[in-house]
C-alpha cells in the first residue's frame, strides 16, 4: 500500500501513528478485507484492536450488510449460546419467542468477536462448526440453520498458554488464526506516544475550552521511557487528568511523575485465570502428590492389618492349646486373677506385641493359677504334651491332629521336628 492511501485510511478512522508495526497491521487488514478468511487480532488491552474489524468490514464486499461487535467477556456463560446462535420458543425460562441470534441476524455481514478467549468450551465447539460448515443449531432446537458471515476475532489472552491449560480449543484457534494481525503495544511505538498525547490534549482543549497543556523535554523523555501497561487507553486517561488538574500548562518531569503510577503493572499478555487460581498443570501436580501419599497410606494400612491378623491368629492358637491343658486363657484372664504381662514374657518392645505360641514363648514360663502344687510349667513341655495327646487321639494322623490343634500342617511338622517326634509318629 502506498503512503497516500495509508494516510487516507488513518484520517478516516482517526488513527494516529507512523510506526512500522502499526502500518503493517493496517496493510494486512486492507488486504484481507476483500476475502472471507477469518482473522484473529492479537494485542494487549487498550492498543485499539477494535479499529481493525471495522476497517475490514468497511472495505469488504459486505460493507452494505450488517456489522456486529460482540464482547464475549461481557455476556454471562448461561446465555451466551442464546445470544450468538438464537433459541426456540420455550427452550428455557423467559424464552417467550424465537430469537435468531447474532449469527442469524448478521447473515451476509460481519461479526467481530472481541475477547474471544473468554468463550466457554461448549460455545467454542459451536463456533468451530460455524467456521467449518456455516451451520449451527439454535438453543432448544433441532433444525440445522445456515449462515454466511465473515468472522473477525480479537483477544488479549496468551492463546498458546490457554490451549496448554485446556481453556481454549486448539482446532478453533487455528480456524480463527487464518490471518493473524498483531497490534503493537504503545511502549513499542516510539514517537507515536507524543503524537497521541498531542491529539488528546487538543481534544480536551477544544471540548472544555481550556488552554492546551504541553510537555518539557525531560517530561517527553519520561513519557517515552514509561512502559504504558494500559497502552493508548492509559495515555488518554493520564492526558485528560493533567489537562483538568494541573495548574501549570507546561508539564515538566516532576509534575508528570505525580500522574504516572510508580507501581508499574505487568506488560505481558493477560490470561483469563484469576490471580489466585491454579493452572491445570499445577492441579495435576497436586493430584499426583495426593495419589502418591494415598498409595503410601494404603500400604501402611495393609501392613498394619496383616500384623493385627497374625496377632489374632497367634493368640487363638496359644489359647487353644492352653485351654486343652486346663490353663487359663492368656488373652482373657479371669476376674480377680492377676493377668500375665505378655510384654514381660517377650523380648520385643510393647508397641510391637507380635508373638507365636510355639516359637516366641518357648523359653518363657507361666504359672498356672489352678495348679494345686503351684509348680512352674514350661511352655515347651506343655506344647510337647499337647502334640503327643493330639496324635494319640487321631491315631498318629498328623493332618487331623493339626486340625484339632487349630494349626497348619507346616507348624505341626516344625513342632514334631523340634520335639523329636517326626521319626516316631507317622502320617
Amino acid at each position: 500500500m502506498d503512503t497516500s492511501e495509508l494516510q487516507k485510511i488513518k484520517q478516516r478512522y482517526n488513527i494516529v501513528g507512523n510506526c512500522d508495526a502499526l502500518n503493517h497491521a493496517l496493510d494486512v487488514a486492507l488486504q484481507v478485507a476483500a476475502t472471507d478468511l477469518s482473522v484473529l487480532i492479537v494485542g494487549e488491552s487498550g492498543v485499539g484492536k477494535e479499529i481493525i474489524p471495522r476497517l475490514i468490514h468497511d472495505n469488504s464486499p459486505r460493507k452494505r450488510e450488517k456489522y456486529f461487535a460482540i464482547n464475549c467477556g461481557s455476556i454471562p456463560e448461561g446465555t451466551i449460546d442464546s445470544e450468538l446462535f438464537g433459541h426456540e420458543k420455550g427452550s428455557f425460562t423467559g424464552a417467550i419467542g424465537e430469537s435468531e441470534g447474532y449469527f442469524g441476524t448478521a447473515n451476509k455481514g460481519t461479526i467481530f468477536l472481541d475477547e474471544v478467549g473468554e468463550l466457554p468450551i461448549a460455545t467454542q465447539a459451536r463456533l468451530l462448526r460455524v467456521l467449518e460448515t456455516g451451520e449451527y443449531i439454535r438453543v432448544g432446537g433441532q433444525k440445522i440453520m445456515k449462515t454466511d458471515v465473515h468472522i473477525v476475532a480479537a483477544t488479549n489472552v496468551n492463546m498458546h498458554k490457554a490451549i496448554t491449560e485446556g481453556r481454549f480449543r486448539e482446532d478453533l484457534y487455528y480456524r480463527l488464526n487464518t490471518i493473524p494481525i498483531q497490534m503493537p503495544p504503545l511502549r513499542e511505538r516510539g514517537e507515536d506516544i507524543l503524537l497521541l498525547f498531542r491529539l488528546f490534549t487538543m481534544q480536551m482543549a477544544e471540548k472544555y475550552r481550556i488552554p492546551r497543556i504541553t510537555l518539557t523535554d525531560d517530561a517527553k523523555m519520561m513519557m517515552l521511557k514509561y512502559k504504558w501497561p494500559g497502552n493508548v487507553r492509559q495515555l488518554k486517561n493520564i492526558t485528560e487528568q493533567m489537562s483538568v488538574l494541573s495548574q501549570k500548562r507546561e508539564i515538566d518531569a516532576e509534575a508528570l511523575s505525580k500522574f504516572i503510577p510508580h507501581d508499574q503493572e505487568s506488560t505481558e499478555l493477560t490470561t483469563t485465570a484469576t490471580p489466585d487460581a491454579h493452572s491445570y498443570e499445577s492441579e495435576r501436580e497436586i493430584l499426583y502428590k495426593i495419589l502418591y501419599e494415598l498409595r503410601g497410606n494404603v500400604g501402611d494400612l495393609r501392613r498394619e492389618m496383616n500384623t493385627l491378623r497374625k496377632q489374632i491368629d497367634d493368640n487363638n492358637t496359644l489359647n487353644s492349646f492352653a485351654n486343652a491343658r486346663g490353663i487359663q486363657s492368656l488373652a482373657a484372664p479371669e476376674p480377680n486373677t492377676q493377668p500375665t504381662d505378655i510384654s514381660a514374657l517377650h523380648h520385643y518392645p510393647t508397641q510391637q506385641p507380635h508373638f507365636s505360641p510355639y516359637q516366641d514363648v518357648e523359653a518363657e514360663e507361666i504359672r498356672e493359677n489352678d495348679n494345686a502344687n503351684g509348680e512352674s510349667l514350661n511352655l515347651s513341655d506343655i506344647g510337647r504334651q499337647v502334640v503327643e495327646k493330639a496324635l494319640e487321639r487321631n491315631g498318629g494322623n498328623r493332618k487331623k491332629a493339626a486340625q484339632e490343634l487349630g494349626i497348619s500342617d507346616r507348624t505341626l511338622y516344625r513342632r514334631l521336628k523340634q520335639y523329636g517326634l517326626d521319626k516316631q509318629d507317622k502320617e
Side-chain angles (χ1 to χ4, degrees):
M1 182 189 302
D2 57 43
T3 305
S4 60
E5 185 179 354
L6 186 62
Q7 291 301 323
K8 291 179 180 179
I9 292 294
K10 289 180 180 180
Q11 292 176 3
R12 179 181 177 184
Y13 294 96
N14 200 22
I15 300 174
V16 175
N18 294 308
C19 77
D20 293 337
L22 176 64
N23 291 339
H24 177 71
L26 297 176
D27 185 34
V28 173
L30 287 174
Q31 291 184 58
V32 76
T35 73
D36 290 333
L37 298 176
S38 56
V39 179
L40 181 62
I41 308 164
V42 180
E44 298 175 11
S45 178
V47 295
K49 298 186 293 294
E50 65 280 356
I51 296 176
I52 300 299
R54 186 79 247 188
L55 186 153
I56 291 175
H57 177 74
D58 292 344
N59 291 272
S60 73
R62 302 172 183 263
K63 60 184 177 181
R64 299 187 184 280
E65 304 295 338
K66 293 182 180 180
Y67 170 84
F68 287 100
I70 305 163
N71 189 318
C72 300
S74 64
I75 304 176
E77 183 174 347
T79 61
I80 191 167
D81 283 357
S82 173
E83 293 282 339
L84 293 178
F85 308 105
H87 61 261
E88 298 291 341
K89 180 179 180 181
S91 58
F92 56 87
T93 303
I96 57 177
E98 293 183 354
S99 171
E100 291 188 356
Y102 286 113
F103 278 97
T105 306
N107 189 34
K108 304 298 182 180
T110 303
I111 287 184
F112 170 44
L113 299 175
D114 196 9
E115 298 185 25
V116 71
E118 305 283 352
L119 284 176
I121 291 294
T123 307
Q124 293 178 29
R126 288 174 174 261
L127 178 58
L128 178 62
R129 183 178 182 183
V130 173
L131 284 166
E132 291 179 338
T133 65
E135 298 177 348
Y136 66 96
I137 299 176
R138 293 176 181 174
V139 176
Q142 296 180 345
K143 182 181 178 182
I144 297 177
M145 312 297 292
K146 298 285 291 186
T147 186
D148 175 21
V149 294
H150 189 194
I151 297 177
V152 181
T155 182
N156 64 347
V157 171
N158 187 327
M159 298 299 284
H160 293 290
K161 185 176 181 180
I163 291 170
T164 301
E165 295 179 351
R167 293 182 287 107
F168 200 86
R169 295 178 61 110
E170 186 174 13
D171 47 4
L172 176 59
Y173 168 71
Y174 288 117
R175 277 288 181 179
L176 290 173
N177 199 40
T178 304
I179 302 295
I181 296 179
Q182 180 73 46
M183 290 294 288
L186 183 59
R187 62 183 175 276
E188 297 179 2
R189 292 177 59 179
E191 294 292 331
D192 287 358
I193 298 174
L194 301 180
L195 294 177
L196 288 166
F197 173 80
R198 188 180 306 166
L199 171 66
F200 298 146
T201 58
M202 292 175 61
Q203 290 176 346
M204 287 295 294
E206 182 179 354
K207 183 176 182 179
Y208 296 104
R209 301 190 180 280
I210 56 178
R212 186 171 69 89
I213 60 174
T214 58
L215 297 174
T216 62
D217 291 340
D218 56 349
K220 290 180 180 179
M221 291 301 298
M222 182 179 292
M223 294 277 281
L224 295 175
K225 290 181 179 180
Y226 184 58
K227 291 187 176 181
W228 300 106
N231 292 293
V232 178
R233 186 181 296 121
Q234 184 187 15
L235 174 61
K236 183 177 182 180
N237 290 345
I238 290 178
T239 304
E240 291 174 348
Q241 291 176 28
M242 290 189 296
S243 298
V244 174
L245 301 178
S246 180
Q247 298 294 328
K248 299 185 298 182
R249 306 320 289 172
E250 186 179 42
I251 308 298
D252 56 16
E254 182 180 358
L256 180 60
S257 63
K258 297 178 181 178
F259 293 94
I260 293 181
H262 297 289
D263 53 338
Q264 300 177 3
E265 301 177 9
S266 172
T267 55
E268 297 179 359
L269 289 176
T270 61
T271 60
T272 56
T274 56
D276 58 344
H278 297 289
S279 68
Y280 286 89
E281 184 176 354
S282 63
E283 288 179 357
R284 282 194 296 268
E285 293 177 357
I286 294 173
L287 288 175
Y288 290 150
K289 183 177 179 181
I290 292 174
L291 290 174
Y292 181 79
E293 294 176 352
L294 181 60
R295 183 177 64 178
N297 293 338
V298 171
D300 293 339
L301 181 60
R302 184 182 295 109
R303 287 190 292 271
E304 291 177 4
M305 291 294 295
N306 290 337
T307 301
L308 181 59
R309 185 181 296 109
K310 196 171 190 315
Q311 291 177 16
I312 294 174
D313 293 341
D314 291 343
N315 281 335
N316 291 338
T317 304
L318 179 59
N319 290 333
S320 66
F321 80 77
N323 290 333
R325 300 292 298 170
I327 303 175
Q328 181 182 335
S329 172
L330 297 177
E334 294 291 338
N336 302 325
T337 302
Q338 183 67 26
T340 303
D341 187 358
I342 298 298
S343 63
L345 296 176
H346 299 285
H347 301 292
Y348 297 99
T350 56
Q351 63 269 26
Q352 296 178 349
H354 171 70
F355 62 91
S356 170
Y358 293 109
Q359 297 177 359
D360 299 337
V361 195
E362 291 178 13
E364 305 298 332
E365 292 184 356
I366 180 170
R367 187 170 300 276
E368 182 179 3
N369 295 330
D370 296 335
N371 191 320
N373 299 324
E375 294 178 340
S376 178
L377 300 178
N378 187 283
L379 291 181
S380 180
D381 295 336
I382 295 173
R384 181 187 179 94
Q385 296 173 14
V386 171
V387 171
E388 288 177 340
K389 292 295 184 182
L391 287 171
E392 291 177 3
R393 285 192 295 272
N394 292 278
N397 190 308
R398 296 180 184 179
K399 190 174 189 66
K400 293 182 178 180
Q403 292 177 352
E404 179 181 326
L405 293 172
I407 60 177
S408 66
D409 295 348
R410 295 180 63 183
T411 302
L412 177 61
Y413 176 76
R414 288 198 300 270
R415 295 301 95 198
L416 293 174
K417 188 175 182 180
Q418 180 180 351
Y419 301 147
L421 301 175
D422 57 325
K423 298 179 180 180
Q424 299 178 16
D425 300 294
K426 59 183 178 179
E427 194 78 8

